[in-house]
Amino acid sequence: DAKTTQPNSMESNEEEPVHLPCNHSTISGTDYIHWYRQLPSQGPEYVIHGLTSNVNNRMASLAIAEDRKSSTLILHRATLRDAAVYYCILVNAGGTSYGKLTFGQGTILTVHP
Amino acid sequence: GAVVSQHPSRVICKSGTSVKIECRSLDFQATTMFWYRQFPKQSLMLMATSNEGSKATYEQGVEKDKFLINHASLTLSTLTVTSAHPEDSSFYICSARDPFRSGYTFGSGTRLTVV
């Protein structure tokens, strides 16, 4: 399975933008880039996903490098509720591994008031 | 949005007993559900893929006779931890995908403590 690399932790101040990077140099052409976040003692929550183009939704934006070997999750204005572990995951669109999410260690985001 | 309901949220059981965890898709049908396990301060690890009407597929190293999975309907998958031991204490999480929505939806998790 293609793997991702994320910083162990990042910090931000409330109401400031946060850019969470992810490297996935071995990504294949059929891998989607998914982001999930997990609050303490809860199941992960879907944030956003994309294939090649940048994506925006109500929660965040996803910027994908032209060569697709890296991506950045952007939280435009961090709030205290955004403090969580953020996971960048490659999801293959087909084959026997479809739907099996391989979680790395993720990035622990701390948001300061 | 898509909701996956997981029960119970936490359970304490005695060593040697069995515990059943339920995972329901509330507003969509899920032919496939996934079961994960998460130990403290670690990431999620996929245990098995639950397939409606057929046998589950287990990841390498996961004992199928210990972690029994039943997916009898399009909205319900159950994970039974049989003859539980303290080392089975963990956070168990299920997930499914609503084909009409983005991403995968996860249950809220079940904290199992075996004493």
Side-chain angles (χ1 to χ4, degrees), chain A:
Chain A
D1 293 335
K3 294 185 177 179
T4 62
T5 305
Q6 300 176 251
N8 291 331
S9 62
M10 291 187 66
E11 297 186 19
S12 173
N13 294 318
E14 204 173 6
E15 297 191 5
E16 290 185 354
V18 181
H19 291 232
L20 298 167
C22 181
N23 289 320
H24 28 79
S25 58
T26 59
I27 190 171
S28 74
T30 54
D31 284 334
Y32 283 78
I33 303 160
H34 280 230
W35 283 82
Y36 293 81
R37 69 182 184 182
Q38 185 180 25
L39 278 65
S41 298
Q42 294 187 29
E45 175 189 27
Y46 166 79
V47 178
I48 200 168
H49 80 283
L51 184 62
T52 57
S53 302
N54 294 343
V55 184
N56 299 295
N57 67 20
R58 63 177 180 81
M59 290 182 71
S61 295
L62 176 60
I64 301 173
E66 196 169 334
D67 63 5
R68 300 211 322 129
K69 294 186 176 183
S70 65
S71 61
T72 302
L73 177 70
I74 303 167
L75 305 179
H76 296 285
R77 290 183 64 190
T79 69
L80 296 178
R81 290 179 296 177
D82 291 324
V85 180
Y86 285 79
Y87 297 100
C88 169
I89 302 171
L90 299 183
V91 181
N92 195 278
T96 57
S97 63
Y98 182 62
K100 296 182 179 182
L101 303 187
T102 301
F103 286 80
Q105 292 305 307
T107 296
I108 300 172
L109 175 64
T110 301
V111 180
H112 300 288

Side-chain angles (χ1 to χ4, degrees), chain B residues 11-48:
Chain B
V11 58
I12 300 173
C13 71
K14 291 185 177 180
S15 187
T17 63
S18 296
V19 173
K20 179 185 286 188
I21 302 170
E22 291 189 350
C23 180
R24 293 181 184 274
S25 57
L26 295 187
D27 56 356
F28 65 100
Q29 294 182 334
T31 56
T32 303
M33 292 185 176
F34 302 92
W35 288 95
Y36 295 82
R37 179 169 54 182
Q38 184 175 32
F39 291 107
K41 298 191 182 302
Q42 294 188 23
S43 192
L44 283 77
M45 292 291 293
L46 179 67
M47 299 176 65

Side-chain angles (χ1 to χ4, degrees), chain B residues 16-99:
Chain B
T17 63
S18 296
V19 173
K20 179 185 286 188
I21 302 170
E22 291 189 350
C23 180
R24 293 181 184 274
S25 57
L26 295 187
D27 56 356
F28 65 100
Q29 294 182 334
T31 56
T32 303
M33 292 185 176
F34 302 92
W35 288 95
Y36 295 82
R37 179 169 54 182
Q38 184 175 32
F39 291 107
K41 298 191 182 302
Q42 294 188 23
S43 192
L44 283 77
M45 292 291 293
L46 179 67
M47 299 176 65
T49 302
S50 173
N51 304 299
E52 187 269 334
S54 64
K55 291 183 179 180
T57 305
Y58 292 82
E59 295 301 301
Q60 190 172 9
V62 178
E63 301 174 58
K64 62 180 181 181
D65 294 330
K66 181 169 185 61
F67 298 99
L68 300 180
I69 291 174
N70 184 281
H71 195 151
S73 77
L74 287 171
T75 59
L76 174 64
S77 175
T78 61
L79 169 68
T80 301
V81 183
T82 62
S83 186
H85 292 285
E87 55 266 32
D88 298 323
S89 297
S90 187
F91 193 50
Y92 292 86
I93 308 165
C94 66
S95 81
R97 184 172 182 274
D98 182 345

